[in-house]
Amino acid sequence: DDDSKSSKSGIFSFFSSLTGQKPLTEEDLKPVLAKVKSELMAKNVAVDIAEKIVDSVCTALIGKVVGTFGTVRGVVKEAVEKALTRILTPKRVINILPEIQAAKRKGRPYVITFIGVNGVGKSTSLAKVCAYLQSKGLTVSIAACDTFRSGAVEQLKTHTRCLDARLFEKGYNRDAAGVAADAIAEAKRLKDDVVLVDTAGRMQDNTPLMRALAKLVAVNQPDLVLFVGEALVGNDAVDQVSRFSQALTEYSTAKNPRLVDGMILTKFDTIDDKVSC
């Protein structure tokens, strides 16, 4: 059947040589797992993640007697699933709808700040999140805190007009942290449920802009800081989000600096069969 055919292709096919009547040793597994690691990396899986998956499979197979391909396939599949579950289980579970209601009971709007490098689709992602929240019956206002890029405010005007959402903007060449603070205060006065804060795209090594972003986050203490990255850059996105979190720590004036809470990946239609982790 299809499942049988798929099991004999991909990474499972590398393990067909391990069937036999003697317990497997680390020496038996080394050449096979090296091929598996190379295949995962060829699919744009990060080196450390590939190593964790391979280590999990190695631990599961050492000392086992696998008489048939079906047996080895089952052991490998279970080991991979356990490794992926450990890797992908977040330290913080984000469920924004209950969190929004909790903020509402306190008489304040729930604030989400969108950050990231240039051209990844922050404003478009923000508009999609706005549409989702509106579909849940929530009132949303958008803060135009990209006061740097020409056309950024006009782009949000188009989005808010289509979404029938409120836009708070003060034009260009303004202090983004101050614009966000004023937008949050206005949303509280108008009893909006959520404020979505758009920020200027910036490269992670641009110190002045990273300082400005750290100030915006420190001053306004958003409930959620979302990094928007594009899938097509692969594991460079991991470096980007790490550098952003590092900058938020180094340049923050807050006693307990806020880091990136979550990530939105865009442009998945550009990556073909390559994956990233």
Side-chain angles (χ1 to χ4, degrees):
D1 57 11
D2 290 343
D3 186 55
S4 177
K5 290 178 182 177
S6 64
S7 70
K8 294 180 181 178
S9 61
I11 65 170
F12 290 114
S13 64
F14 296 121
F15 295 92
S16 59
S17 63
L18 297 179
T19 56
Q21 300 304 315
K22 68 180 185 70
L24 293 172
T25 66
E26 189 171 351
E27 289 303 312
D28 295 327
L29 294 170
K30 270 185 178 180
V32 174
L33 295 178
K35 291 179 182 177
V36 172
K37 180 180 173 182
S38 295
E39 179 70 11
L40 291 172
M41 291 169 59
K43 292 295 185 181
N44 207 23
V45 176
V47 175
D48 58 333
I49 300 299
E51 289 175 347
K52 287 178 181 178
I53 293 173
V54 165
D55 288 346
S56 179
V57 173
C58 183
T59 301
L61 285 175
I62 284 181
K64 288 277 196 315
V65 176
V66 286
T68 66
F69 179 77
T71 303
V72 71
R73 176 189 178 277
V75 174
V76 171
K77 183 178 179 182
E78 183 180 357
V80 171
E81 287 177 350
K82 286 182 178 179
L84 291 177
T85 299
R86 287 194 300 269
I87 293 165
L88 296 175
T89 299
K91 294 179 180 178
R92 172 191 171 188
V93 177
I94 298 173
N95 192 343
I96 64 173
L97 296 179
E99 292 179 10
I100 290 170
Q101 294 303 323
K104 192 173 181 179
R105 287 192 292 272
K106 294 178 182 178
R108 65 172 183 84
Y110 186 87
V111 181
I112 305 175
T113 297
F114 294 76
I115 67 175
V117 302
N118 310 73
V120 297
K122 285 187 303 302
S123 300
T124 302
S125 297
L126 180 149
K128 291 179 179 180
V129 171
C130 179
Y132 167 76
L133 295 174
Q134 288 177 324
S135 74
K136 301 298 180 182
L138 299 168
T139 55
V140 183
S141 62
I142 295 174
C145 296
D146 183 352
T147 63
F148 181 76
R149 175 174 65 88
S150 177
V153 175
E154 288 72 21
Q155 182 182 8
L156 288 180
K157 284 180 179 178
T158 300
H159 283 315
T160 52
R161 184 168 61 251
C162 294
L163 292 164
D164 193 23
R166 199 188 320 276
L167 176 66
F168 187 92
E169 58 95 1
K170 287 190 172 182
Y172 297 98
N173 299 316
R174 300 297 186 98
D175 174 40
V179 174
D182 291 343
I184 294 167
E186 180 70 1
K188 182 177 181 180
R189 184 183 72 82
L190 296 171
K191 301 189 185 312
D192 284 341
D193 299 315
V194 184
V195 179
L196 304 180
V197 180
D198 189 36
T199 64
R202 64 204 77 206
M203 297 307 294
Q204 59 268 31
D205 55 358
N206 188 320
T207 299
L209 287 180
M210 294 306 290
R211 285 185 185 277
L213 180 62
K215 177 184 176 183
L216 184 151
V217 172
V219 168
N220 294 286
Q221 288 295 301
D223 297 279
L224 197 61
V225 179
L226 293 180
F227 179 88
V228 183
E230 54 188 9
L232 63 90
V233 301
N235 288 299
D236 283 347
V238 178
D239 176 65
Q240 290 171 358
V241 72
S242 298
R243 297 277 293 278
F244 267 72
S245 274
Q246 182 182 354
L248 290 178
T249 301
E250 289 182 359
Y251 303 137
S252 178
T253 56
K255 185 177 181 181
N256 298 307
R258 289 294 310 282
L259 304 180
V260 175
D261 297 306
M263 187 171 184
I264 295 175
L265 274 179
T266 63
K267 307 180 185 178
F268 263 104
D269 58 335
T270 65
I271 60 174
D272 193 36
D273 67 335
K274 293 209 170 194
V275 296
S276 181
C277 188

